[in-house]
Amino acid sequence: MKTYSLTKAQQRIWYTQQKFKDSPLFNIGGTVTIDGNININAMKSAIQLLISDNDSLRIRFKSNDGTPVQYISNNYGEIGEIDFSLQKDPFKAFQKWIDEMVQLPFMLYENDLFQFTVFTICDGVTGYYVKLHHLICDGWSVQLMVDQIKQNYEMIIKNNVIIREKKKSYLDIITQEKNFIESKEYQKARNYWIDLFTPLPELSNDVKKTSDISNRSVFPLTSNQESKWLSYIRRAGVTFNTLIIALYLLFEYKTKHVNDCVVGSAFLGRTTRQERMVFGEFSNPMPVRYKIDAEMSVLSFIKTIHNRFCRSLRYQKYPYHILQNDLHLREYGLTRLYNTCINYYNTSPPCNIAGMSAENAELFNGHQDYPLQIILRQWNQRQLQLEYDYWIDLFQMDEVKNLHNRLML
């Protein structure tokens, strides 16, 4: 059996998971609920094709003298099936089952790191559930997954021949990464990040983890709020992502007088079209440092934030955990460079499958690795909503509501 080393993205997740072995910290996935009765066997076949075509889904891990290595398993797993229609309250039973499933951690060694289940809630409401470990899948891959399952299913029920394009192996990324680390571009990226954090900003607010148990609060934007934001970013020539970062920085400046702030951003880690077609784990949350000049106009400030973010995007492949070592954070008694991560999710999961409407829902596992995550979500160009994931030991609901209300001003 041929084994391979972990990518840098996988290493970061692996060693964090080791600190919280019984935590579902890195469980990701969701449900696709379909308004109609699917062909159960066809959906199972569609999912099996997905697993067959994307070797990252079949990655397993083993120990090589204490060091984790990975290999591709020939096991294609079992697709589960569950029917809630005979329950007294099918929808309540379904939600209870989902809540239980997402909390179950994966066994990392010699085990499948995916779980697919086709479900029936009642007549006319069906779909599938998926849970994956972040070691084999990132958020971008979830978009690839739902697209491929839809395509496979529709071809199967039409009895059409499925054209299976050979997909690039995730294992090829290991070689690409090795070449990158030995390149001049890697050194340029390293210099950029070290310069950005030299000298280190004041990080006295570094929070020591007590528990990773978290809550999520969701606030849909009103049509008026969304219209104002859209109008503003068009005039300013920036993005929603830039705007929400700038608003948060202003909140920190106004409430805590912080004018040198570090915010995390979950970069894709995919810089080429070819990489965007590969299923697997690439994501790289990086800290970006922003400074506030009180003499600047708001527009100039937001454009400065936009330029800093775009420049950092050029060097997004430099691994965060390597940067932490470069900066010798432990010598300063620090565990991280940021406590807040801000992300903009703008993807387009399928709204229908075989002519039936489909609703996509992301799983929230109730755990996370940093105190606060702010997500601005806009799926399929629909209504914007802000989501706040926060450690319950550190934040109260009223504090989160206050933060949201201040960002909306």
Side-chain angles (χ1 to χ4, degrees):
M1 177 196 305
K2 189 169 184 180
T3 60
Y4 305 82
S5 59
L6 277 61
T7 63
K8 297 300 182 185
Q10 288 175 316
Q11 287 176 15
R12 171 182 56 83
I13 292 170
W14 179 274
Y15 290 112
T16 302
Q17 181 73 81
Q18 297 311 299
K19 298 176 185 177
F20 305 95
K21 290 186 177 181
D22 297 323
S23 170
L25 177 64
F26 290 113
N27 287 356
I28 63 173
T31 58
V32 177
T33 304
I34 299 165
D35 187 12
N37 293 317
I38 58 173
N39 182 315
I40 298 294
N41 290 330
M43 182 58 74
K44 287 184 175 181
S45 296
I47 295 170
Q48 288 284 9
L49 282 174
L50 170 85
I51 297 168
S52 174
D53 288 346
N54 297 276
D55 61 9
S56 178
L57 276 164
R58 291 179 280 112
I59 284 176
R60 286 188 174 188
F61 295 86
K62 62 180 295 186
S63 175
N64 184 3
D65 294 328
T67 300
V69 293
Q70 60 185 318
Y71 65 95
I72 303 300
S73 169
N74 291 324
N75 178 32
Y76 290 75
E78 294 291 331
I79 311 302
E81 180 182 344
I82 189 167
D83 187 348
F84 297 94
S85 62
L86 297 180
Q87 299 290 324
K88 182 178 179 180
D89 187 336
F91 287 92
K92 185 177 181 179
F94 170 69
Q95 190 57 55
K96 181 176 183 292
W97 178 78
I98 291 293
D99 292 342
E100 291 172 352
M101 289 298 101
V102 72
Q103 290 295 321
L104 295 177
F106 286 101
M107 300 294 292
L108 294 188
Y109 281 120
E110 301 286 4
N111 189 58
D112 290 334
L113 297 180
F114 63 83
Q115 178 190 359
F116 287 93
T117 303
V118 179
F119 61 78
T120 299
I121 299 179
C122 62
D123 185 38
V125 183
T126 54
Y128 66 89
Y129 153 86
V130 55
K131 181 175 74 177
L132 310 115
H133 197 284
H134 219 325
L135 281 164
I136 66 170
C137 176
D138 57 19
W140 185 268
S141 297
V142 173
Q143 173 76 59
L144 296 177
M145 176 193 72
V146 293
D147 285 342
Q148 290 179 35
I149 290 176
K150 168 185 165 69
Q151 293 165 9
N152 292 343
Y153 179 80
E154 291 178 342
M155 293 295 285
I156 290 169
I157 63 172
K158 291 177 182 177
N159 294 316
N160 290 339
V161 176
I162 298 177
I163 300 174
R164 300 174 67 182
E165 299 179 4
K166 182 175 176 56
K167 294 182 171 56
K168 189 175 180 66
S169 171
Y170 183 74
L171 298 178
D172 294 335
I173 302 304
I174 298 171
T175 302
Q176 288 182 204
E177 184 176 78
K178 183 176 183 295
N179 293 336
F180 170 65
I181 290 173
E182 295 172 352
S183 71
K184 292 181 180 179
E185 289 302 311
Y186 181 84
Q187 192 58 47
K188 285 181 182 178
R190 182 175 186 271
N191 292 340
Y192 170 79
W193 291 108
I194 290 177
D195 288 346
L196 185 62
F197 287 97
T198 303
L200 279 173
E202 178 113 15
L203 295 171
S204 57
N205 64 335
D206 180 54
V207 178
K208 301 299 185 292
K209 177 175 287 190
T210 56
S211 170
D212 63 359
I213 298 175
S214 306
N215 193 18
R216 168 172 287 180
S217 295
V218 179
F219 300 88
L221 270 66
T222 66
S223 297
N224 186 47
Q225 289 168 335
E226 186 173 328
S227 178
K228 286 183 177 179
W229 279 23
L230 184 59
S231 175
Y232 189 86
I233 65 171
R234 285 174 175 171
R235 291 199 314 272
V238 297
T239 63
F240 277 130
N241 192 55
T242 300
L243 180 61
I244 192 63
I245 291 173
L247 290 173
Y248 176 76
L249 293 173
L250 288 173
F251 171 82
E252 289 289 286
Y253 177 70
K254 292 289 187 180
T255 60
K256 303 174 186 175
H257 309 292
V258 177
N259 61 5
D260 187 359
C261 192
V262 183
V263 174
S265 291
F267 291 133
L268 283 180
R270 302 166 184 259
T271 57
T272 67
R273 183 180 181 278
Q274 190 178 50
E275 287 175 341
R276 287 185 173 90
M277 299 305 293
V278 180
F279 195 104
E281 166 52 30
F282 289 76
S283 63
N284 187 33
M286 290 300 286
V288 185
R289 184 179 187 178
Y290 304 96
K291 295 184 179 181
I292 297 177
D293 182 350
E295 301 301 317
M296 295 179 71
S297 69
V298 172
L299 180 59
S300 296
F301 167 67
I302 291 178
K303 287 191 173 183
T304 299
I305 298 305
H306 180 74
N307 292 336
R308 167 64 69 194
F309 182 85
C310 290
R311 183 145 189 241
S312 298
L313 203 58
R314 292 174 54 190
Y315 303 106
Q316 63 177 289
K317 284 195 169 186
Y318 194 75
Y320 175 44
H321 64 289
I322 301 298
L323 176 62
Q324 289 177 302
N325 291 334
D326 291 337
L327 298 175
H328 308 289
L329 292 190
R330 291 185 178 180
E331 294 180 14
Y332 297 93
L334 299 172
T335 58
R336 62 173 60 81
L337 283 168
Y338 63 89
N339 292 320
T340 300
C341 189
I342 299 177
N343 301 315
Y344 173 44
Y345 291 171
N346 179 25
T347 55
S348 300
C351 293
N352 68 83
I353 295 178
M356 299 175 288
S357 63
E359 180 180 352
N360 297 263
E362 182 193 40
L363 292 175
F364 175 61
N365 62 48
H367 299 255
Q368 66 179 23
D369 190 35
Y370 32 81
L372 176 65
Q373 176 173 225
I374 303 174
I375 300 170
L376 180 62
R377 189 185 302 276
Q378 187 181 36
W379 281 359
N380 295 316
Q381 302 302 312
R382 294 180 179 177
Q383 183 183 27
L384 282 169
Q385 66 182 35
L386 276 166
E387 302 171 2
Y388 302 83
D389 300 343
Y390 53 93
W391 287 355
I392 61 174
D393 282 356
L394 193 63
F395 292 94
Q396 299 293 324
M397 176 75 76
D398 288 345
E399 293 178 89
V400 174
K401 287 181 178 178
N402 178 60
L403 168 60
H404 176 75
N405 291 334
R406 294 291 292 270
L407 295 183
M408 291 297 101
L409 290 178

